[in-house]
Amino acid sequence: MGFFSPKFIFSLLLLSAIPLGILVTLERAPHSTHVYQYHSNSWLRECAKWDDLNRRFLVSYMEGGIGELKVVVSDNNDNNDDVILDEITAVKDVDLAGNATVGISIDRSRNRLLVVSSDLIGNRYGGLAAYDLSSWRRLFLTHLISPGDEKAFADDVAVDEQGNAYVTDVRNSKIWKVNVDGKLLSIIKSPLFTPKQWYKNLVGLNGIVYHPDGYLLVIHTFSGNLYKIDLKNEEKIKLVKVIKGSLTFGDGLELLSPSKLVVAGNPAGRLVESSDGWETASVVGKFSGVKHRLATAATVKDGKAYLSHMIGLGYPKRKHVIVEAVFSS
């Protein structure tokens, strides 16, 4: 019998635990930082990434598809919190209907967007697609799960300088490696990815990011473990020693700089810093933001960190927010 992914169930439980009155109060409270608002036809949006070249946010639809939010500087949208942007659907593939679109990553040097799709209910499908950012033509679609494979939930993606993509499996804590042409090359596994406590494995490897020095950083959501994977030797996996705070419930990742990492999640987004090439790291800042909407992804726009949120509110159109994260120690 199929079931929702652990991550999705956790999101719904968190939302249902908030009384309606508190929800309304939180929603009406003024934002303490800059916020982009946009209208959507759906309650759920998983990820948003800033496309600097085209001056737009790209967002992934939990019901499947990709949308764009164009930020028009000449209309003063860039600094006006009262402006509500319109979500325009850019990708809606018929052959992926019934699957959620989750993690996305911009491969700037190849002018393409890498997109992860997953079977939200049965966990029987996982795919990675690449789309041209100018024409939205699909360049490839790679099936990550074959008939007879164990259930899995492909979640997030990062891309290296050679165009190889790395997709996390949040259910079984492994990473699929797909080459620049869409060929599935290998699966990265390690005993380090599986904490001893069973309950910490309900939501496993999640957010992932490529570091320009040639390695991956990936977070394990329920344990808060942060891992460093050397791409010259994929069996060389280290647990990053994180001090001065916890990364438990960490979700999407984004590098603010080579030494600073933004971790989306709840109850707060976190800023993590390393001075030794991510052998060790420290939590140096937190941002509470809009906790009732569930921050799931991070992106960087014009040198500033922004958090996107899964849950939209309002009727008939849902209003979603992408909020600037200003971290305090």
Side-chain angles (χ1 to χ4, degrees), residues 60 167 200 220 270 281 306 309:
S60 62
V167 181
K200 289 187 177 181
H220 187 285
R270 281 146 285 189
Y306 284 82
H309 298 73

Side-chain angles (χ1 to χ4, degrees), residues 30-41:
H31 296 283
S32 60
T33 63
H34 182 220
V35 58
Y36 289 98
Q37 304 179 80
Y38 66 97
H39 275 151
S40 168
N41 291 320

Side-chain angles (χ1 to χ4, degrees), residues 146-219:
S146 301
D149 285 355
E150 63 182 355
K151 291 185 177 182
F153 192 87
D155 187 77
D156 204 1
V157 59
V159 59
D160 67 18
E161 293 176 353
Q162 288 72 45
N164 298 308
Y166 303 86
V167 181
T168 55
D169 176 3
V170 76
R171 180 178 176 123
N172 298 301
S173 292
K174 64 179 182 287
I175 300 170
W176 292 280
K177 180 179 180 179
V178 178
N179 78 359
V180 66
D181 297 317
K183 180 181 178 181
L184 180 60
L185 296 180
S186 62
I187 297 177
I188 303 173
K189 298 181 178 180
S190 172
L192 285 177
F193 293 157
T194 307
K196 294 180 180 179
Q197 302 92 335
W198 67 268
Y199 56 88
K200 289 187 177 181
N201 292 296
L202 291 175
V203 183
L205 292 187
N206 196 336
I208 188 169
V209 68
Y210 172 73
H211 194 282
D213 288 342
Y215 50 85
L216 300 171
L217 295 173
V218 58
I219 195 162

Side-chain angles (χ1 to χ4, degrees), residues 145-316:
I145 303 173
S146 301
D149 285 355
E150 63 182 355
K151 291 185 177 182
F153 192 87
D155 187 77
D156 204 1
V157 59
V159 59
D160 67 18
E161 293 176 353
Q162 288 72 45
N164 298 308
Y166 303 86
V167 181
T168 55
D169 176 3
V170 76
R171 180 178 176 123
N172 298 301
S173 292
K174 64 179 182 287
I175 300 170
W176 292 280
K177 180 179 180 179
V178 178
N179 78 359
V180 66
D181 297 317
K183 180 181 178 181
L184 180 60
L185 296 180
S186 62
I187 297 177
I188 303 173
K189 298 181 178 180
S190 172
L192 285 177
F193 293 157
T194 307
K196 294 180 180 179
Q197 302 92 335
W198 67 268
Y199 56 88
K200 289 187 177 181
N201 292 296
L202 291 175
V203 183
L205 292 187
N206 196 336
I208 188 169
V209 68
Y210 172 73
H211 194 282
D213 288 342
Y215 50 85
L216 300 171
L217 295 173
V218 58
I219 195 162
H220 187 285
T221 293
F222 266 28
S223 70
N225 289 341
L226 183 67
Y227 302 99
K228 176 182 178 181
I229 304 172
D230 186 348
L231 294 183
K232 294 180 180 178
N233 180 4
E234 293 171 4
E235 295 182 356
K236 189 177 180 181
I237 300 170
K238 295 182 178 179
L239 177 64
V240 179
K241 183 180 180 181
V242 179
I243 62 173
K244 298 183 180 179
S246 168
L247 299 183
T248 302
F249 300 137
D251 196 335
L253 304 180
E254 190 71 82
L255 285 170
L256 189 59
S257 74
S259 62
K260 293 181 179 180
L261 178 71
V262 179
V263 181
N266 283 269
R270 281 146 285 189
L271 181 64
V272 187
E273 188 170 8
S274 176
S275 59
D276 58 4
W278 295 96
E279 297 294 312
T280 63
S282 301
V283 178
V284 296
K286 295 182 179 181
F287 175 71
S288 295
V290 284
K291 289 181 281 190
H292 62 291
R293 284 180 176 262
L294 190 64
T296 53
T299 191
V300 174
K301 176 185 179 296
D302 302 332
K304 298 178 181 179
Y306 284 82
L307 302 179
S308 57
H309 298 73
M310 177 179 286
I311 300 162
L313 297 171
Y315 187 83

